[in-house]
Amino acid sequence: EILRCLVGSEMCIRDRHKQTQRIMYLTDLTDAQKEYIKGTILMDNWRSKYDFFLILDAIIYIDVSGCQWRMLPTEYPQWQIVYYYFRRWGAMDSFSELEDGLVEKVRLKRGESSHPTIGAIDSQSSRSALPRSQKGIDGNKKVKGVKRNIITDKDGDVLEASTTPANIHDSKSAYALVALLIVAFPWIRRIYADRGYRGNFIEKAKHDFGIDIEITHSNYSGKFVPAKKRWVVERTFAWLENFRRLCRNYEETTESANEMLMVAAVVITLRKLSSVNNRF
């Protein structure tokens, strides 16, 4: 009887220990990465009973793994809570502002000026997986879904991004994107683009924003040749393909789809800042 009581008490202690421990996923932020986020807009006046980084880790897990919200592991808060904060932060443009701050820090770490003056712009069409989502048809690439438009600095860090239905022409979405870029980075003076941005957009960008749009050519001759000064933005799209939530569009609205893009941009920038990176 005494032995049975001892064994039972030991099992209770083990159960309590298991309850206090949480399974760590490869997508979870490291301590070094969390230090770069502390004190940013996301943590201003945080009063929730839920751990801030636990919710942020859950959002990153969704973005990287591509799983459904309802399939979020039980180690995180309930998916409804995580989804609530994802939409709330998205409506506040918190992920975009966080990315802007991280880009300045990573540029300073490289020994560069925190004020980028050169950018590169490009777009990528992605198929939509939901029948009720906002979408359009990209007639050139034969894709029915959304189009992601990003502007990066010369190192490939995302400065600004927008997501539109795929039928919106690059030059039309680029004007609105450059207008947003000037607010966050008014020091931009030149942007490299491909031939899809030719036309009135070049003149309007110069007249309204004082930005020179330079069209670069890939000089394709039977094999892939990186476009001069513009290849960095294409490499950034390749980095974004590592996030399964972005391989296809699983969001109902373009606003939500763009926030998933910005979450991925934040993770990519954090990898460059911290000496200990996530293994995904």
Side-chain angles (χ1 to χ4, degrees):
E1 185 67 26
I2 296 176
L3 181 61
R4 188 181 297 108
C5 293
L6 291 174
V7 173
S9 61
E10 183 179 356
M11 292 178 64
C12 291
I13 294 175
R14 289 180 179 178
D15 290 340
R16 291 177 184 175
H17 183 64
K18 289 181 180 179
Q19 292 176 2
T20 57
Q21 283 186 332
R22 187 179 73 87
I23 296 177
M24 300 298 293
Y25 292 93
L26 295 179
T27 57
D28 290 349
L29 296 175
T30 63
D31 293 337
Q33 292 170 336
K34 292 177 182 178
E35 289 297 323
Y36 285 104
I37 298 179
K38 291 181 178 178
T40 60
I41 184 174
L42 281 177
M43 296 194 68
D44 286 348
N45 302 319
W46 182 255
R47 295 293 183 269
S48 175
K49 66 177 181 180
Y50 300 98
D51 182 75
F52 170 83
F53 286 108
L54 190 60
I55 293 177
L56 186 57
D57 283 339
I59 295 174
I60 296 174
Y61 180 89
I62 291 286
D63 206 2
V64 176
S65 67
C67 76
Q68 298 175 355
W69 285 100
R70 289 172 174 80
M71 297 182 65
L72 190 67
T74 56
E75 285 76 21
Y76 298 114
Q78 293 181 346
W79 73 267
Q80 296 94 332
I81 298 171
V82 178
Y83 183 75
Y84 164 78
Y85 282 104
F86 169 72
R87 296 306 302 269
R88 178 181 176 184
W89 290 337
M92 297 168 55
D93 287 334
S94 299
F95 296 119
S96 297
E97 295 190 24
L98 175 60
E99 172 66 3
D100 293 345
L102 294 176
V103 167
E104 293 182 1
K105 291 180 180 180
V106 76
R107 289 178 63 86
L108 291 174
K109 185 178 181 180
R110 295 195 191 102
E112 303 173 353
S113 170
S114 60
H115 302 159
T117 59
I118 297 177
I121 187 172
D122 204 354
S123 65
Q124 178 192 60
S125 295
S126 177
R127 298 184 185 276
S128 291
L130 299 179
R132 60 185 179 275
S133 63
Q134 291 179 289
K135 62 175 73 71
I137 298 178
D138 185 345
N140 185 32
K141 299 179 181 178
K142 305 297 187 295
V143 173
K144 185 177 182 181
V146 298
K147 183 178 291 185
R148 303 186 182 103
N149 309 272
I150 65 172
I151 299 179
T152 69
D153 63 0
K154 67 181 184 63
D155 299 306
D157 299 318
V158 177
L159 302 180
E160 197 63 60
S162 68
T163 303
T164 64
N167 60 309
I168 305 298
H169 194 270
D170 292 351
S171 60
K172 293 183 179 180
S173 58
Y175 183 85
L177 188 62
V178 171
L180 294 174
L181 176 69
I182 290 300
V183 176
F185 299 94
W187 314 277
I188 296 291
R189 289 294 173 264
R190 175 168 296 181
I191 295 179
Y192 297 102
D194 60 18
R195 290 177 294 178
Y197 296 91
R198 293 178 297 179
N200 296 333
F201 167 64
I202 298 178
E203 299 177 359
K204 294 178 66 176
K206 179 65 175 178
H207 179 269
D208 297 343
F209 309 118
I211 295 179
D212 294 323
I213 306 297
E214 182 175 329
I215 304 300
T216 61
H217 303 277
S218 60
N219 298 322
Y220 180 77
S221 58
K223 64 177 181 179
F224 174 74
V225 179
K228 185 179 180 181
K229 299 180 180 179
R230 191 174 51 83
W231 65 273
V232 290
V233 66
E234 297 176 350
R235 182 186 62 179
T236 301
F237 276 126
W239 289 340
L240 293 173
E241 289 293 331
N242 292 322
F243 296 79
R244 290 194 172 186
R245 193 79 181 187
L246 302 181
C247 293
R248 281 203 175 191
N249 180 43
Y250 292 96
E251 310 304 319
E252 292 190 14
T253 64
T254 54
E255 292 81 9
S256 179
N258 195 64
E259 293 309 319
M260 279 295 178
L261 170 60
M262 291 311 303
V263 171
V266 167
V267 175
I268 292 174
T269 309
L270 281 172
R271 292 178 186 173
K272 299 179 181 180
L273 278 170
S274 57
S275 57
V276 181
N277 293 326
N278 306 75
R279 297 181 179 179
F280 64 89

